[in-house]
Structures are given as C-alpha cells and as structure tokens.
Amino acid sequence: QLQASGGGLVQAGGSLRLSCAASGRTFSTYHMAWFRQAPGKERDFVCLSRSGGSTLYTDSVKGRFTISRDNAKNTVYLQMNSLKPEDTAVYYCAASSLLWSRGESAYDYWGQGTQVTVSS
C-alpha cells in the first residue's frame, strides 16, 4: 500500500514537499514514480526513482522538482520548488516491482493522490 501526503495550496513561486509512504519490506527493490492529473486532463508522468537510485523527469519539471527516496523509511519524496499554476493537479505516487517507465501500465501499486493547488 502507498499513502501520499503533503499536498496543499501554495502561491506561485512557492514550494511543497510530497511524501509517499509504502508498506512492506522490499521497498528498496521498487521503482517509484510520481504522476499527476490536472482537472479535465489525463494522468501524466512527472518523475521516477529507479531502485538503483537514478532518476528521470519530464521536461516541464526539470530543475524545479526533485524526487528522492529513503529506503530505511520506505518513503519517496517529491520536493517541488518554483511552483507554477500549471502544476496544479492531483499527484499520485506509484510503485513498480519490475519495469520502470513513463507509462502508467508499468506500475503495480498506486497511492490515493494528494491535491496540489498553485495560485497565481
């Protein structure tokens, strides 16, 4: 199970840190990702952390967002800086035991989502 938290309302230019806590004893072997879904749009890939620690970001968040993980705490984080109104969305964490991918279908487990709203 995945439990996402940390969303909220922030002004443009501000920062938020999302957390996603996972249950289980094999967290370190999972590829962890963040997706987001804006109102009226499809859910999109944001970033991922491979089990080995390397990361991948979608172009629109490069240099502003940072994904990190603490395997001892079974938690993945998304630090979001310089937030823009277009970052407004429900953010979901996801876990994959086998594949890492920008596509949703690779992920076995999903968190419940946390709302991020950026005001202009």
Side-chain angles (χ1 to χ4, degrees), residues 30-49:
Y30 279 74
H31 309 301
M32 300 298 299
W34 289 96
F35 288 76
R36 65 185 179 185
Q37 187 168 22
K41 296 188 176 181
E42 295 184 349
R43 190 157 55 185
D44 291 329
F45 170 80
V46 177
C47 58
L48 67 85
S49 170

Side-chain angles (χ1 to χ4, degrees), residues 93-111:
C93 58
S96 171
S97 60
L98 291 176
L99 303 174
W100 60 266
S101 171
R102 295 173 182 263
E104 292 186 31
S105 61
Y107 295 88
D108 309 298
Y109 305 100
W110 290 84

Side-chain angles (χ1 to χ4, degrees), residues 17-92:
R17 188 176 83 154
L18 306 184
S19 299
C20 176
S23 59
R25 293 176 287 180
T26 58
F27 176 80
S28 64
T29 66
Y30 279 74
H31 309 301
M32 300 298 299
W34 289 96
F35 288 76
R36 65 185 179 185
Q37 187 168 22
K41 296 188 176 181
E42 295 184 349
R43 190 157 55 185
D44 291 329
F45 170 80
V46 177
C47 58
L48 67 85
S49 170
R50 299 183 185 94
S51 60
S54 59
T55 58
L56 182 68
Y57 297 89
T58 194
D59 286 347
S60 62
V61 307
K62 283 180 181 177
R64 300 189 298 122
F65 290 11
T66 302
I67 186 171
S68 62
R69 62 196 296 163
D70 185 336
N71 290 333
K73 295 183 178 180
N74 283 11
T75 302
V76 62
Y77 303 98
L78 181 61
Q79 178 67 45
M80 305 184 294
N81 298 329
S82 302
L83 281 161
K84 304 175 181 180
E86 51 264 43
D87 295 318
T88 295
V90 177
Y91 283 71
Y92 297 89

